[in-house]
Amino acid sequence: MPRKKKAIDYINELCSSEIAEKRSLGNKLKAQYNKWIESLALQDFLFFNEIIQKNKAEIGAAQFFGKFRAYAFEEYVYRLLQSKIRIPESLRLFWGEKCLAWQKDGEEYAMEFDVAIGKKTNNFVEPVIVFDAKVELDSVRLKTALASFAILKQRNPKTRCVLVYVTKEIDSAFLELAGCWIDGIFQFGPENDESKGFLRQVSEFLS
């Protein structure tokens, strides 16, 4: 199943709040959301993310806040690929769908990836490229991404695995070491925008 709840759903919940401050925040976020989905400029998305960060208390529960930002970043990556990458006709772009990672004796195990490029077979994506999008990249999140990629590659060894993140909260040596098992690592940050390199690399993977 594709991603059911998206950033706009969280925004609409704020806009429909009985609390005036939340409605005002929701309207501000909606205006910035509409701006970045149109421009796809990284600075527009980062400003949107900054508004969320600065209003964490107003937004509420940690789970609500965390998923709001996570799904927004996934959507940014998805829309960027959708707009800037020429995907072969035999493949499709997927958001929040499952890839089959293991199958034996009638049993199977599938893993959800934030974004993927591949083809759909029997309700699962056969991935050519998978993307893991992290707003904050710390050691726990990096280890989780590494494990997910490793499990997927057991069944799909030719699949390219790409990690994108906004803020680095990890030792640079560990991140460089992780590059031995990840096909591409790119930062989409205010001081280090690697989005152009990201798009070039994805295009090369598909060529």
Side-chain angles (χ1 to χ4, degrees):
M1 294 290 291
R3 177 72 66 229
K4 287 184 177 180
K5 193 162 186 178
K6 303 176 182 179
I8 191 62
D9 298 312
Y10 290 95
I11 292 170
N12 287 336
E13 285 185 35
L14 290 169
C15 289
S16 62
S17 173
E18 295 180 357
I19 302 171
E21 290 81 2
K22 288 193 174 185
R23 291 198 303 273
S24 177
L25 175 59
N27 289 330
K28 183 177 181 180
L29 283 166
K30 181 174 283 188
Q32 188 63 26
Y33 172 82
N34 289 333
K35 184 175 182 179
W36 70 252
I37 64 171
E38 179 68 26
S39 72
L40 291 178
L42 180 60
Q43 62 266 28
D44 290 339
F45 170 77
L46 292 175
F47 183 60
F48 173 84
N49 185 60
E50 186 180 327
I51 296 172
I52 298 173
Q53 180 69 38
K54 287 182 176 179
N55 292 276
K56 183 176 181 178
E58 196 69 56
I59 288 170
Q63 186 179 31
F64 184 105
F65 168 79
K67 287 187 175 181
F68 186 2
R69 291 197 308 156
Y71 292 167
F73 188 40
E74 290 177 14
E75 183 173 357
Y76 179 75
V77 173
Y78 176 87
R79 287 181 179 272
L80 189 66
L81 291 167
Q82 186 179 53
S83 175
K84 305 296 184 181
I85 296 296
R86 183 182 178 279
I87 297 175
E89 291 183 5
S90 60
L91 304 176
R92 290 170 52 200
L93 181 64
F94 300 92
W95 178 15
E97 298 210 28
K98 290 188 174 183
C99 301
L100 190 61
W102 178 82
Q103 192 173 43
K104 184 179 180 181
D105 300 330
E107 294 187 43
E108 56 193 21
Y109 180 75
M111 304 174 66
E112 182 182 299
F113 285 88
D114 296 336
V115 181
I117 296 174
K119 57 182 67 175
K120 197 78 171 280
T121 304
N122 297 327
N123 297 319
F124 296 117
V125 176
E126 291 185 11
V128 174
I129 312 174
V130 294
F131 304 86
D132 198 339
K134 305 293 188 188
V135 177
E136 282 111 8
L137 182 64
D138 57 19
S139 61
V140 173
R141 292 183 176 97
L142 180 54
K143 289 173 185 176
T144 300
L146 281 167
S148 297
F149 291 155
I151 291 169
L152 182 70
K153 279 180 175 275
Q154 287 297 307
R155 179 182 172 85
N156 307 276
K158 293 184 179 180
T159 298
R160 301 288 194 167
C161 299
V162 178
L163 176 66
V164 293
Y165 66 97
V166 177
T167 304
K168 183 175 71 173
E169 300 178 354
I170 189 173
D171 186 273
S172 295
F174 182 26
L175 187 58
E176 185 173 348
L177 177 62
C180 297
W181 293 277
I182 300 176
D183 298 296
I185 302 175
F186 301 92
Q187 185 173 19
F188 287 21
E191 297 177 2
N192 186 32
D193 176 8
E194 297 178 327
S195 57
K196 290 183 179 179
F198 164 78
L199 293 170
R200 282 195 301 271
Q201 185 69 81
V202 173
S203 293
E204 289 177 11
F205 286 158
L206 293 172
S207 63

